[in-house]
């Protein structure tokens, strides 16, 4: 398959985003957005670092690659609109696998009415998928991680550690309860995009997506907002069947397990009830897991309170396969 | 060097683009653009496919990678504004080389007052650099390759085949006249961004950048515009010292040599004089190389007229290392 045939194949016959002026087929795509702010992020997945063709069907690989990128847009409180895909294709990758990767991305895209508007396909020795996503958010309403303030309620959506458990199960031949649930949480993460977009009425929300584990994301909010945070370990939401895993696994996965793509945020206590109604309307599980401490606590650390009631410092660590 | 240290190192202390709301440091970057249309394109370079560390310093690799992307924005008549870089880094790549790649990109960026606003760094076995660029263009003035019409003057900027000659020289140990000129045309291509932006007063221009060779780009304009084109081979602009290369090399490089990043365009004959003054004001060499044929000629082919005065069909071919 040559490049031109391939581009014809992945080119959408119909674009969904009204902001689009010109899609694939020129030197660049063109869009127009005068009312809203524009957000953009890029994320790359490399074979045998972030995924394995032996463990996961190409459809899942594509789905998950785009979902990870959509999550960054959701974490800004924005609606995803466009994506560009640059893919390095080794000889070992068949045309069918390649098509399935793009098909997987298109499934994730259509969940969010996104359009594929550009990219590049090049040959190489190692399969890697570099995606750039573009989204829109009301002016001045991008939800920054620097927005937390003392006294805020700290919350997470969904349950934690599921994707790490799913990855563990995919790599194992043991029997686990609820295994397809956990595997799907790893392979086809559902992004909290609709929920994030509906936070617009709130006056202030600090928001991060949990791509690198709760510990890392909480520390990023603490540092960017210049606040310290307290998290109660026994309030961390997990799926009922999560108790089948060892204590050590549970602890590790819910605090450091990456790629759950749930949202971690902080809102003023006065808006907590409003947040709960938004979550209920969206059928989004929402749990208060702690708070931002008063100004007297001058460090910008994250403190974890376990059953011994002694706060221990929760450090950035764990899921570092994405850095060098 | 961990990811956080590295991001701190490449993060600009000062952003130049007034449209930027939030640069690197959150889940996504944010910008605002209500007056102009937004253009975006993505391009990837892979080691030993598009560049070689053995032949080229890391500074050049970075410079050229971003320049190739800026060229796509220029080819839309737009001004580049932002870029995102996703890089896959093998163990063989030292911190110094990595820094030099980013430094090379920052040199190309500062020529155009661009800001680095996002990206990703991941480890892998093969060095690859995936860049997304974002630029701005006046509403409805994106210069599409589909805009050519019968009777238009076909033009190119600069001289052709230089980058291919430079690549040949870099791979050779023979003596060549003017060798540093040719090598620099390959390693540090100057993008016709300012010239492209100043085409705004023209009512209509079809535009492509010559990244894949004149033959490919001309065919893209012919197909997208539904016109046939005639090109006179003896009018193709080349550097004086280009005659030192064999007839075969000259022919191949000027017609199929990629990555000159000059512009190929078509304008109404009535605006040719105005185009010439714009080029003169910008010190941009400009040459008429042919025209778009009348509607009677119903094919959408490109015809090359050589000294025998017999038109031969100029096919898409040549520079295909970018596709599979």
């Amino acid at each position: 398959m040559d490049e031109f045939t391939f581009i014809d194949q992945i080119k959408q016959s119909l674009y969904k985003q009204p902001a689009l002026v010109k899609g694939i087929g020129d030197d660049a795509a063109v869009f127009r957005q005068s009312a809203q702010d524009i957000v953009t992020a890029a994320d790359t997945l490399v074979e045998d670092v972030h995924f394995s063709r032996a463990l996961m069907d190409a459809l899942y690989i594509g789905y998950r690659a785009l979902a990870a990128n959509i999550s960054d847009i959701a974490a800004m409180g924005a609606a995803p609109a466009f994506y560009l895909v640059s893919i390095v294709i080794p000889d070992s990758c068949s045309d069918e696998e390649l098509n399935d990767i793009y098909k997987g991305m298109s499934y994730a895209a259509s969940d969010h009415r996104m359009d594929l508007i550009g990219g590049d396909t090049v040959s190489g020795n190692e399969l890697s998928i570099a995606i750039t996503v573009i989204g829109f958010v009301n002016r001045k309403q991008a939800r920054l991680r620097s927005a937390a303030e003392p006294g805020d309620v700290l919350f997470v959506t969904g349950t934690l550690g599921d994707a790490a458990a799913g990855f563990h199960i995919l790599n194992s031949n043991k029997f686990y309860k609820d295994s397809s649930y956990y595997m799907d949480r790893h392979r086809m993460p559902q992004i909290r995009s609709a929920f994030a977009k509906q936070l617009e009425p709130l006056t202030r929300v600090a928001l991060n997506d949990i791509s690198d584990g709760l510990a890392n994301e909480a520390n990023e909010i603490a540092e960017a907002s210049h606040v310290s945070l307290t998290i109660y370990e026994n309030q961390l939401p997990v799926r009922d069947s999560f108790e089948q895993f060892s204590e050590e696994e549970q602890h590790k996965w819910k605090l450091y397990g990456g790629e759950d793509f749930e949202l971690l945020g902080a809102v003023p206590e006065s808006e907590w009830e409003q947040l709960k109604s938004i979550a209920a309307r969206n059928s989004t599980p929402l749990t208060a897991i702690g708070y931002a401490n008063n100004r007297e606590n001058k460090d910008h650390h994250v403190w974890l309170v376990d059953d011994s009631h002694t706060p221990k410092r929760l450090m950035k660590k764990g899921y570092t396969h994405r850095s060098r």
Side-chain angles (χ1 to χ4, degrees), chain A:
Chain A
M1 189 164 46
D2 71 18
E3 189 173 13
F4 303 108
T5 319
F6 179 68
I7 290 171
D8 275 344
Q9 228 168 78
I10 59 168
K11 202 157 94 176
Q12 296 175 210
S13 53
L14 206 72
Y15 290 104
K16 299 172 202 119
Q17 290 286 328
L20 192 67
V21 176
K22 172 81 194 169
I24 285 178
D26 216 294
D27 299 295
V30 185
F31 64 95
R32 189 169 298 159
Q33 180 50 268
S34 49
Q36 294 190 294
D37 282 348
I38 299 144
V39 300
T40 183
D43 225 359
T44 298
L45 282 84
V46 178
E47 181 167 17
D48 295 332
V49 180
H50 303 92
F51 64 85
S52 149
R53 274 189 281 165
L55 284 180
M56 219 157 76
D57 193 273
L59 274 168
Y60 287 123
I61 293 170
Y63 189 99
R64 189 158 155 274
L66 184 56
N69 277 276
I70 296 170
S71 183
D72 282 325
I73 299 298
M76 300 299 277
F82 303 121
Y83 64 113
L84 300 94
V85 179
S86 289
I87 187 163
V88 179
I89 310 158
D91 287 339
S92 66
C93 187
S94 70
D95 284 357
E96 199 194 334
E97 276 178 301
L98 185 61
N99 283 332
D100 279 352
I101 290 172
Y102 277 83
K103 208 185 283 173
M105 288 191 284
S106 78
Y107 292 161
S110 72
D111 289 349
H112 303 270
R113 299 188 58 77
M114 294 175 77
D115 291 324
L116 173 63
I117 60 166
D120 200 6
T121 57
V122 297
S123 49
N125 295 313
E126 186 174 54
L127 179 61
S128 78
I129 309 168
I131 301 180
T132 298
V133 272
I134 294 170
F136 302 136
V137 65
N138 284 350
R139 288 229 174 147
K140 299 181 186 173
Q141 283 212 315
R143 301 307 192 176
L144 305 182
R145 57 181 65 149
S146 55
E149 290 189 12
D152 280 1
V153 177
L154 202 62
F155 68 86
V156 292
T157 59
T159 48
L160 300 176
D162 295 347
F167 185 69
H168 174 82
I169 293 171
L170 276 166
N171 280 285
S172 153
N173 52 11
K174 273 180 65 179
F175 170 83
Y176 288 100
K177 276 177 283 185
D178 231 4
S179 61
S180 67
Y181 165 82
Y182 289 107
M183 289 191 295
D184 277 354
R185 286 276 281 164
H186 174 74
R187 296 183 299 199
M188 295 194 72
Q190 299 303 305
I191 304 306
R192 301 286 182 192
S193 192
F195 170 75
K197 192 81 182 82
Q198 293 195 21
L199 302 182
E200 278 169 5
L202 300 179
T203 54
R204 184 170 56 74
V205 193
L207 214 58
N208 249 9
D209 68 317
I210 305 180
S211 50
D212 291 345
L214 181 69
N216 272 350
E217 308 298 339
N219 273 287
E220 284 183 357
I221 289 179
E223 286 165 20
S225 298
H226 305 293
V227 292
S228 80
L229 303 174
T230 295
I231 292 175
Y232 296 96
E233 188 166 7
N234 64 14
Q235 288 182 27
L236 296 180
V238 291
R239 184 150 173 109
D240 285 344
S241 57
F242 200 65
E243 61 173 23
Q244 71 185 306
F245 304 108
S246 74
E247 291 272 326
E248 197 196 322
E249 285 167 340
Q250 288 185 48
H251 178 84
K252 190 173 73 181
W253 293 342
K254 69 187 176 188
L255 288 169
Y256 306 105
E259 314 214 323
D260 279 323
F261 299 116
E262 294 295 347
L263 294 170
L264 168 69
V267 285
E269 207 176 352
S270 58
E271 305 202 0
W272 172 243
E273 288 303 320
Q274 195 182 350
L275 179 63
K276 281 206 291 190
S277 349
I278 295 170
R281 273 204 308 278
N282 277 280
S283 315
T284 301
L286 179 77
T287 313
I289 60 164
Y291 55 86
N293 301 308
N294 292 330
R295 282 268 180 254
E296 288 86 78
N297 195 331
K298 285 203 191 310
D299 62 53
H300 307 142
H301 297 159
V302 180
W303 300 94
L304 185 73
V305 180
D306 63 12
D307 289 340
S308 71
H309 302 287
T310 325
K312 289 194 190 93
R313 195 168 157 200
L314 184 64
M315 306 286 285
K316 261 189 191 184
K317 73 168 176 182
Y319 205 69
T320 57
H321 78 208
R322 309 171 78 203
S323 58
R324 297 189 72 196

